């Protein structure tokens, strides 16, 4: 572990069973990401989940390059890489014969500024399992079989009624509450935030995790013209299962029972029903797109599917939810632990709502672009989420002038780069410098400025970093985006003060 990776264990305030700084409702990818981020910041948070266990299905199985960078920062990427695999090539079948292969995703060339350039496949249940294990390691609290059944807001807190399996409700007081409880969010309805949307496809779909005998695991298998509609079987890495996806006529209701799953596979493929082993999980849905009118109501914030619902095309839903949590986590940490002004939290909606709207448009367009038989759902650079940023956000200050058209600017993702190493050593990367919950000031072609305690600094004069960034003083936010870009050290104190960072 490099010095940049070593983080002191945060000192947490004394815990009270009925009081917390942040109550997170929903232990999906967004809720778990936020809980991990807050735990490493020393913020007292409680994560509650209505179900008795983590979600058991594979649904959101693609982690985009930007999400992998988030998971790297949170300390779970090595496990994600160990349990996952690159996307396999698609293979079409017709009348029991192989028809041809193609790539669903673009394969990227190596780039020193992007350490994980390709989407990574791993079942959603495994991603959540790894995040939960990390949360436990960080000392976070999770309560399963616990439903939010009441919510009241006050000027300085939220009062939440939580009901456990015994049916007895108790009131928990939190300074803030975060809804990560999915598309049918109880929290969103309780605070009166409406969600506007549309049906993306009138055809219902069936998704399931199944054991299959007699089908190779080297491809994602597609029957585009099966009787009744297309069917896909994708091998799930780190398991012996396949994910089934099948579409039906608009007036049909998919049968999610194990026998129903076996029948649809036997009817649309060359596989016999007896080739289908255990059906571990199954669900049906109608693809739709919807966006909440607001992401905040007082002391309540919406994240993930509670704020935006996506078609599965493009693999954007889970990833956008993780990015929501990563954006909100550091801001809550600065307000609760470092005394940043409350106004910092207003930037969450200002930054994330436009991003969610853009991503929704993309996933809807990909879904409607064409069927699986002609590669109409192919994903490209726009789905990687590396180019999404906050150039017009309230925390973005670009104070340099005369920049080239393709220059890196404030509000954009801070790129990675290899750093100089002694001969014979592996060296480190710029992301190793950024890793952790702190703000970083990067000086490129400048002397290191004086900064408040708790702000990390790093200086480079040449090499890949200088080429990627250009000359300047850069404030790198804890979520890996450039907040301030300037040549004048006098711009730093005022900007850092907005984040709760003052010279003593």
């Amino acid at each position: 572990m490099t010095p940049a990776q070593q983080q002191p264990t945060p000192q947490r305030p004394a815990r009270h069973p009925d009081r917390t700084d942040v109550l997170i409702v929903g232990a999906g990818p967004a809720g778990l990401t936020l809980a991990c981020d807050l735990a490493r910041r020393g913020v007292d948070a409680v994560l509650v989940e209505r179900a008795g266990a983590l979600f058991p299905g594979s649904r959101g199985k693609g982690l985009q390059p930007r999400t992998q960078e988030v998971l790297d920062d949170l300390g779970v990427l090595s496990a994600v890489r160990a349990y996952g695999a690159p996307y396999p090539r698609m293979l079409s079948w017709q009348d029991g014969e192989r028809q041809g292969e193609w790539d669903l995703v673009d394969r990227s060339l190596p780039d020193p500024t992007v350490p994980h350039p390709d989407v990574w496949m791993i079942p959603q249940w495994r991603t959540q399992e790894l995040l939960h294990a990390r949360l436990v390691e960080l000392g976070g609290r999770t309560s399963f079989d616990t439903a939010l059944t009441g919510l009241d807001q006050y000027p300085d807190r939220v009062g939440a009624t939580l009901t456990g399996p015994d049916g007895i409700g108790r009131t928990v007081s939190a300074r803030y509450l975060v809804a990560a409880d999915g598309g049918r969010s109880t929290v969103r309805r309780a605070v009166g935030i409406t969600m506007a949307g549309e049906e993306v496809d009138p055809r219902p779909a069936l998704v399931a995790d199944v054991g299959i005998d007699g089908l190779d695991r080297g491809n994602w298998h597609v029957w585009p013209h099966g009787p009744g509609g297309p069917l896909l079987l994708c091998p799930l890495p780190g398991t012996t299962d396949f994910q089934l996806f099948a579409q039906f006529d608009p007036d049909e209701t998919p049968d999610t029972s194990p026998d129903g799953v076996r029948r649809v596979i036997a009817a649309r493929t060359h596989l016999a029903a007896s080739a289908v082993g255990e059906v571990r999980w199954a669900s049906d849905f109608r693809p739709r797109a919807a966006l909440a009118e607001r992401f905040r109501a007082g002391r309540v914030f919406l994240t993930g599917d509670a704020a935006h619902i996506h078609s599965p095309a493009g693999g954007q839903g889970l990833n956008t939810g993780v990015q929501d949590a990563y954006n909100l986590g550091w801001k809550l940490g600065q307000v609760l632990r470092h005394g940043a002004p409350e106004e910092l939290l207003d930037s969450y909606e200002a930054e994330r709502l436009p991003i969610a709207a853009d991503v929704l448009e993309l996933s809807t367009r990909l879904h409607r672009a064409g069927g699986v038989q002609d590669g109409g759902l192919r994903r490209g650079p726009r789905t990687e989420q590396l180019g999404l940023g906050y150039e017009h956000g309230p925390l973005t200050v670009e104070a340099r002038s005369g920049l080239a058209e393709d220059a890196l600017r404030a509000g954009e993702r801070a790129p990675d780069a290899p750093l100089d190493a002694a001969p014979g050593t592996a060296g480190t990367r710029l992301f190793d410098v950024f890793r952790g919950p702190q703000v970083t000031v990067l000086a490129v072609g400048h002397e290191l400025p004086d900064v408040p305690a708790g702000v990390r600094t790093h200086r480079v004069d040449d090499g890949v970093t200088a080429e990627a960034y250009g000359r300047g003083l850069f404030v790198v936010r804890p979520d890996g985006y450039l907040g301030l870009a300037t040549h004048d050290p006098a711009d730093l104190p005022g900007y850092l003060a907005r984040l709760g960072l003052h010279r003593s």
Side-chain angles (χ1 to χ4, degrees):
M1 181 178 289
T2 69
Q5 291 173 282
Q6 295 172 356
Q7 297 295 319
T9 301
Q11 293 184 348
R12 293 183 175 84
R15 287 174 168 173
H16 189 281
D18 295 322
R19 290 199 303 269
T20 187
D21 283 335
V22 182
L23 176 63
I24 306 167
V25 181
L32 286 163
T33 297
L34 179 60
C36 287
D37 199 17
L38 293 178
R40 68 175 181 159
R41 296 176 186 282
V43 173
D44 185 35
V46 177
L47 174 64
V48 298
E49 168 57 48
R50 176 189 294 270
L54 295 171
F55 172 70
S58 63
R59 183 176 287 142
K61 63 184 181 299
L63 299 181
Q64 300 295 343
R66 179 60 188 148
T67 301
Q68 293 175 60
E69 294 176 0
V70 173
L71 299 180
D72 184 14
D73 183 39
L74 294 178
V76 298
L77 184 62
S78 59
V80 164
R81 301 290 291 189
Y83 282 108
Y87 267 51
R89 284 173 60 81
M90 312 294 286
L91 171 64
S92 289
W93 289 85
Q94 181 69 38
D95 299 325
E97 299 291 334
R98 295 171 179 253
Q99 299 299 303
E101 296 186 6
W102 79 91
D103 271 317
L104 179 70
V105 298
D106 290 335
R107 312 289 175 170
S108 300
L109 296 174
D111 184 337
T113 68
V114 182
H116 314 291
D118 291 319
V119 63
W120 194 250
M121 182 180 289
I122 182 171
Q124 180 175 327
W125 65 262
R126 180 80 80 183
T127 298
Q128 294 182 190
E129 181 182 81
L130 297 174
L131 282 168
H132 186 257
R134 178 60 173 151
L135 178 60
V136 171
E137 183 179 56
L138 290 166
R141 291 188 282 173
T142 308
S143 181
F144 292 99
D145 273 323
T146 303
L148 182 132
T149 54
L151 191 157
D152 294 294
Q153 290 211 59
Y154 304 95
D156 61 342
R157 61 188 172 87
V158 174
T161 302
L162 303 179
T163 301
D166 56 6
I168 299 174
R170 66 184 181 93
T171 299
V172 172
S173 177
R175 293 183 62 182
Y176 300 98
L177 185 147
V178 180
D181 54 342
R184 297 183 177 91
S185 172
T186 299
V187 176
R188 187 184 65 238
R189 292 195 298 269
V191 297
I193 296 179
T194 60
M195 179 174 266
E198 61 178 324
E199 189 178 74
V200 173
D201 192 328
R203 296 171 295 174
L206 170 67
V207 61
D209 294 350
V210 299
I212 299 284
D213 291 329
L215 194 64
D216 77 81
R217 301 183 61 81
N219 290 100
W220 189 336
H221 302 271
V222 183
W223 288 263
H225 305 295
L231 183 144
L232 297 82
L233 286 169
C234 177
L236 294 170
T239 77
T240 58
D241 295 338
F242 286 77
Q243 184 195 67
L244 161 73
F245 177 84
Q247 287 184 306
F248 295 78
D249 290 335
D251 58 350
E252 288 188 84
T253 300
D255 184 350
T256 59
S257 70
D259 284 343
V261 171
R262 293 185 179 96
R263 281 194 294 269
V264 74
I265 292 175
R268 300 190 189 185
T269 76
H270 61 274
L271 301 169
S274 59
V276 183
E278 183 178 357
V279 180
R280 306 185 196 280
W281 166 80
S283 179
D284 66 312
F285 69 99
R286 289 181 184 269
R288 63 185 295 255
L291 181 67
E293 62 172 351
R294 294 177 289 145
F295 284 11
R296 182 182 187 183
R299 291 181 170 267
V300 175
F301 299 86
L302 307 185
T303 64
D305 287 356
H308 41 78
I309 300 171
H310 303 252
S311 156
Q316 299 296 288
L318 179 153
N319 292 275
T320 305
V322 167
Q323 302 299 331
D324 291 342
Y326 199 49
N327 181 289
L328 181 58
W330 74 268
K331 295 170 182 177
L332 285 169
Q334 292 302 118
V335 170
L336 291 167
R337 298 305 310 275
H338 298 284
E342 172 81 14
E343 290 75 20
L344 180 62
L345 298 177
D346 293 335
S347 68
Y348 169 68
E349 178 182 301
E351 291 185 338
R352 292 306 301 169
L353 197 153
I355 291 288
D358 286 348
V359 173
L360 271 174
E361 184 277 330
L362 172 63
S363 59
T364 300
R365 183 162 50 81
L366 283 171
H367 189 110
R368 291 172 173 167
V372 293
Q373 68 269 20
D374 59 9
L377 299 184
R378 185 180 177 88
R379 294 109 187 251
R382 282 199 66 194
T383 65
E384 297 171 353
Q385 301 203 350
L386 294 170
L388 299 178
Y390 310 118
E391 292 90 337
H392 304 293
L395 300 181
T396 298
V397 179
E398 177 55 74
R400 300 169 299 166
S401 60
L403 296 176
E405 184 177 348
D406 61 348
L408 183 68
R409 285 173 166 79
E412 297 182 15
R413 164 189 169 272
D416 194 14
L419 299 176
D420 291 338
T425 65
T428 58
R429 304 185 64 83
L430 198 54
F431 275 10
D432 295 323
V433 175
F434 298 158
R435 184 177 288 110
Q438 77 293 317
V439 172
T440 303
V441 173
L442 177 67
V444 182
H446 284 267
E447 294 299 319
L448 284 175
D450 292 329
V451 296
V455 176
R456 182 174 291 164
T457 59
H458 188 80
R459 180 174 181 265
V460 294
D461 288 317
D462 51 30
V464 176
T465 300
E467 294 174 6
Y469 282 76
R471 187 171 180 274
L473 293 168
F474 303 92
V475 174
V476 182
R477 303 169 10 163
D479 59 353
Y481 289 88
L482 301 179
L484 167 69
T486 185
H487 291 300
D488 188 351
D491 291 335
L492 291 171
Y495 185 86
L496 294 173
R498 297 173 62 187
L499 311 184
L501 300 168
H502 306 266
R503 286 199 183 98
S504 57

